[in-house]
Amino acid sequence: MLPSQLTSGHFKNYPPKARRLAAGQIELLRQLPESFVPLLLREMISYDWKFPAECKDLDRQLNYLGSLSQEQRERSMAPFAQLRLSSDLNRVDWVNSPGQYSEQLSAHLWATHQIDAFHEAATEYLQKVDAALPPEPPPVPRLGLAVVGKGVEENKYPLFRKLRPHGVFFKQVKPENGLNALLETVSARAAAHPIPFAHWYIDGGAHETAMGAGVTSVSYNALDSIRSELLKKMEKAIQAGIGGPEALRTMMAEMRPEEVGLSVAANDAVLSHFQVSVLTEGSGTQIFSTTFVQWAAREALRRAQPNTLLARFAPRQRQRPMNELLSGKQQKVELDPAGSLVDADMGAFYTWLNQQRLPGSQQSSFLVWFEGHHEALAIAPSLPRGTESDSPVDMKTLLAQII
């Protein structure tokens, strides 16, 4: 089927909001190339459980495409229309399974050496959208907080090396009540700017304290039963010989929250789908808490674009044979605090990088702290770069310097 043959009836299996959105844009969809429409539908079909920032981004794309004349639209879509598509792609139900179509399209583009042309076309298209309809700046400068090294008593590993050129390395931070100061800061910003999904607390263990209604909280320990259920399904699929890693990835991508015990009630659907995506799309997020925190922070920044994010890394389990890890049958999990600190140090750097990709990055601030110790690194427009400080400072005072 070609996009020109689309009718509103083709979207009958979409969730309510997605169905209304797709049906309302049907005239536009009919005029777009067959290599592009499924990619747009991949975003539309999950509209009901997208974060507000994601909905705004998709709406911007649709408004941009709808504002163009037919000639302008054809010119803008020409790089996509020129892609050579395989007849096998026509056999995929790209209306109801746009994600599967996207995977097969990617494989086809790689195999036919067209992937560079596609990336160039996609980049140029998004640049045009941003130029025509710039994304809104955050209502308050973004603040990223990372806590690393929980459970580490002594450390000889040189921390924050990749971040030091961008901020101030504090050597005499007073650790008393440091974590409470960070948690209170997140709660205060959520109370002052009560925007849905704009303030996050992600923990690699258990949440240190219950946060207010304005803070989205996700933790590794709270998802223990969900992770166990997911690992069982993965192990069962592998033992049944489902067809290799590609088939396993497809199975994971199609996993729904209710299949692993998560609520899909109206108030929980968005966060439940997010948590499932973190556990099914991230490599190792089901097994290693440090990987879980890094990926959850990455996806929260990319998708929800929060104004405040606190990512607290906790000790992960030691490496073991993959079959043993997937089985989850070990009675006592042995933790690796020292190795986890190295993971978390790199995870904090990636979290800062992902924050820098968001609108308003020049005004954003970032702080990473070695939990329970005297070392921290702060990056903010008001602070110099590549410097060190030996002056004693408590966490509240340090936070005041960057907010």
Side-chain angles (χ1 to χ4, degrees), residues 130-152:
D130 288 343
L133 299 169
E136 297 178 4
V140 61
R142 300 189 201 279
L143 174 64
L145 305 168
V147 181
V148 304
K150 179 183 178 181
V152 177

Side-chain angles (χ1 to χ4, degrees), residues 231-232 235 238-239 286-288 317-334:
L231 288 172
K232 290 177 184 177
E235 186 181 27
I238 292 172
Q239 291 177 348
Q286 318 86 2
I287 299 170
F288 299 113
Q317 60 180 310
R318 291 190 182 276
Q319 294 276 8
R320 309 199 312 273
M322 184 55 66
N323 288 341
E324 186 179 333
L325 288 169
L326 288 175
S327 70
K329 294 177 181 177
Q330 181 174 317
Q331 296 296 320
K332 185 177 180 180
V333 175
E334 184 180 359

